Amino acid sequence: MRELSAPKGVSEYFPPRSQYFEFVRETLISAAKVSGYQLMELPAFEDTELFKRGVGESTDVVSKEMYTFEDRGGRSITLRPEGTAGVMRSVIEHNLDKLTLPIKVWYSGAFFRAERPQAGRYRQFYQVGIEAIGLNDPEIDFEVIAVADRAFKALGLKSYRLDITSLGDSKSRASHRKDLQIFLDTLDLDEATRARAAINPLRLFDDKRVEIQRVMEKAPLLLDYLSEESAANFAKVQELLTGAGIAFTINPRMVRGLDYYTGTTFEFVSDKLGAQSGIGGGGRYDGLMAELGGNDLSGIGFGLGVDRILLACEAEGIFDSTEVKSELELFVVALSSAEKNFVAGLVNELRNKGIKCDMAYGDRALKGAMKSADKSGARFSVVIGSDEIETGKVALKEMKTGTSKEVRISALSDEIKAN
Ligand code: HAM
């Protein structure tokens, strides 16, 4: 029989490492919640048209990385490569834009891109994202960037930097595009590249070929074409970031992998990862909602790559010093098989009271059971024999220090909660 394995290039998390993955994801989510963002839980697959129109046909994501298939009803379905388009679709479909603006939502889950797998680049990966829709204020741009920065700092990350730029409003982009087009016309480009440039000329700044990179060094930069309003907005965002002590570098050559960006655009990059160093990115999207058939509202958001952030945390040795709290508070061991029933009942009762606990199962000798207690990472352990059942008292042992304290079985949950 053929051995089964996971599809190529997917990320998977299982114990013990999964606790670090969970810690990272929950810390990112907490930073969003503390800033007033509410959960949006969306389908992992959508109508293919949504991503074609939302993400843009000139992008690698849409042109060659989507998992697209026909469902049983003959509809074209795509596994979501990113979260923003789906959020917009849901906001439009459920009339959320009729509520108080801005709409502030967070999401977390698996995303799918058929990229060439390598360290930190997967075909199924995880993001925590936020979107703030309905206001075009520099204060919101600042808030969104600050949420990500707060999350990274809460994790204890140090070796990362923030790149920002502005892609301006439609006026800024139109005047830049004219000059960029004139510049591109002087170049000897192949058909495919020209076609790409016709959809989004900024893509050429992101071209991986050395010869293109070299000629693009002389290309006019959008940042020099910002309208007065866009320039003022961008200056305000910088002022707010500086005021909050969030360091940044202006990178006028930044090109995001998705086509919907306008205005403030940003990327967080870790110095500890190899080629796949982008740990999160986002920006404003002025025309996206209208493009998808909704009201003409602007929005801004980000997607943080949980997989890469976990790798960055590990590379910075964060879990060596930060104690990611073990899930278990108590591990209960029966001295002999005669006490097993009692222990099973006790553990069940303690769980009902909200104590995270587990017990040694099976018929292992006491020594083996104590090893399980050690390995469990629980804060406390107790051993229950016939004496303990008779007296109703146990020695509650703190695993780290090895010290014990006599506690009534009936008072175990209170004692653990108090410590
Ligand atoms: P993105 O830059 O395509 O933006 O992805 C955000 C983050 O997801 C990246 O910085 C990276 O950490 C992670 N990521 C992307 N692709 C992979 C992959 N193949 N393997 C591992 N991690 C990956 C977006 O997706 C936008 N929707 C963000 C956004 C929200 N913009 C506005 N609102």
Side-chain angles (χ1 to χ4, degrees):
M1 228 189 334
R2 188 166 65 86
E3 246 180 66
L4 293 175
S5 56
K8 197 173 161 213
V10 299
S11 64
E12 289 190 297
Y13 300 96
F14 38 86
R17 190 168 176 245
S18 53
Q19 69 183 314
Y20 299 118
F21 175 83
E22 186 186 7
F23 174 76
V24 169
R25 183 184 58 196
E26 298 310 307
T27 306
L28 302 177
I29 291 172
S30 295
K33 284 189 186 170
V34 89
S35 305
Y37 289 75
Q38 291 182 297
L39 174 65
M40 197 148 205
E41 195 68 75
L42 295 176
F45 58 89
E46 297 264 8
D47 185 331
T48 301
E49 186 68 17
L50 172 67
F51 301 115
K52 284 195 173 164
R53 265 160 64 185
V55 174
E57 308 247 17
S58 85
T59 62
D60 281 354
V61 170
V62 169
S63 65
K64 50 187 185 201
E65 294 171 356
M66 294 208 298
Y67 282 100
T68 298
F69 57 95
E70 227 176 64
D71 74 0
R72 285 164 199 270
R75 288 166 289 254
S76 181
I77 293 293
T78 292
L79 299 184
R80 59 180 180 187
E82 62 98 53
T84 313
V87 170
M88 293 307 122
R89 195 264 311 136
S90 185
V91 165
I92 297 167
E93 188 171 340
H94 304 294
N95 292 313
L96 301 185
D97 52 339
K98 307 286 182 315
L99 309 174
T100 317
L101 300 176
I103 305 145
K104 302 209 304 187
V105 294
W106 66 269
Y107 50 88
S108 159
F111 295 85
F112 309 85
R113 295 181 193 176
E115 301 197 71
R116 242 200 1 207
Q118 64 181 84
R121 187 161 79 188
Y122 310 109
R123 292 180 167 175
Q124 173 171 330
F125 57 97
Y126 295 87
Q127 277 188 8
V128 167
I130 68 171
E131 311 292 345
I133 305 146
L135 268 191
N136 192 353
D137 285 351
E139 289 79 15
I140 297 267
D141 295 15
F142 161 68
E143 171 180 295
V144 167
I145 296 174
V147 170
D149 190 66
R150 186 174 307 116
F152 295 145
K153 285 187 176 136
L155 285 168
L157 283 174
K158 292 201 171 66
S159 299
Y160 68 91
R161 61 167 209 277
L162 163 64
D163 279 5
I164 63 169
T165 191
S166 172
L167 300 180
D169 51 16
S170 51
K171 210 166 105 198
S172 324
R173 282 193 307 285
S175 62
H176 173 249
R177 196 175 175 134
K178 220 174 359 168
D179 280 3
L180 183 58
Q181 205 57 59
I182 293 169
F183 172 81
L184 294 179
D185 287 345
T186 65
L187 304 179
D188 181 25
L189 299 173
D190 58 88
E191 264 316 301
T193 311
R194 249 185 220 297
R196 248 183 139 202
I199 308 176
N200 181 358
L202 293 180
R203 283 266 149 257
L204 291 206
F205 283 101
D206 197 28
D207 202 298
K208 300 287 174 289
R209 290 168 295 183
V210 185
E211 64 276 17
I212 304 276
Q213 281 177 12
R214 200 172 311 125
V215 290
M216 287 306 285
E217 273 168 25
K218 297 202 185 72
L221 296 172
L222 178 44
L223 207 54
D224 298 325
Y225 288 76
L226 293 189
S227 67
E228 220 170 281
E229 197 189 339
S230 289
N233 268 358
F234 190 45
K236 196 73 182 285
V237 174
Q238 294 175 52
E239 199 184 298
L240 285 162
L241 289 171
T242 305
I246 300 175
F248 60 88
T249 309
I250 294 176
N251 176 2
R253 292 172 177 275
M254 182 198 303
V255 183
R256 303 274 302 125
L258 314 164
D259 265 356
Y260 46 65
Y261 291 109
T262 61
T264 307
T265 309
F266 58 93
E267 264 170 9
F268 285 90
V269 181
S270 166
D271 305 327
K272 297 281 182 183
L273 303 177
Q276 303 306 313
S277 56
I279 52 174
R284 185 160 279 290
Y285 37 84
D286 281 343
L288 180 57
M289 242 181 97
E291 175 67 37
L292 296 175
N295 285 331
D296 195 5
L297 293 180
S298 180
I300 181 163
F302 64 56
L304 306 181
V306 186
D307 314 83
R308 292 186 192 168
I309 297 168
L310 172 60
L311 290 171
C313 286
E314 287 169 337
E316 289 198 34
I318 279 170
F319 304 125
D320 306 339
S321 49
T322 314
E323 201 160 307
V324 173
K325 210 170 158 266
S326 153
E327 285 296 298
L328 279 188
E329 291 165 296
L330 177 69
F331 197 88
V332 188
V333 173
L335 188 60
S336 74
S337 53
E339 293 86 28
K340 278 256 153 71
N341 265 11
F342 179 87
V343 167
L346 173 65
V347 163
N348 188 55
E349 245 173 66
L350 288 168
R351 288 172 180 164
N352 286 343
K353 289 179 181 160
I355 301 291
K356 289 178 198 151
C357 56
D358 207 351
M359 62 179 279
Y361 287 104
D363 282 328
R364 262 171 310 162
L366 184 61
K367 205 169 142 199
M370 288 315 292
K371 247 194 203 151
S372 305
D374 266 337
K375 271 206 197 143
S376 76
R379 277 173 58 217
F380 296 102
S381 69
V382 293
V383 178
I384 294 187
S386 56
D387 282 358
E388 281 76 11
I389 296 177
E390 213 166 283
T391 59
K393 288 179 188 159
V394 289
L396 181 66
K397 179 174 161 192
E398 188 172 12
M399 302 298 281
K400 219 199 242 156
T401 57
T403 54
S404 293
K405 181 177 176 186
E406 195 180 71
V407 175
R408 296 199 65 79
I409 293 177
S410 56
L412 263 177
S413 69
D414 289 341
E415 181 66 29
I416 290 168
K417 278 182 191 162
N419 275 278

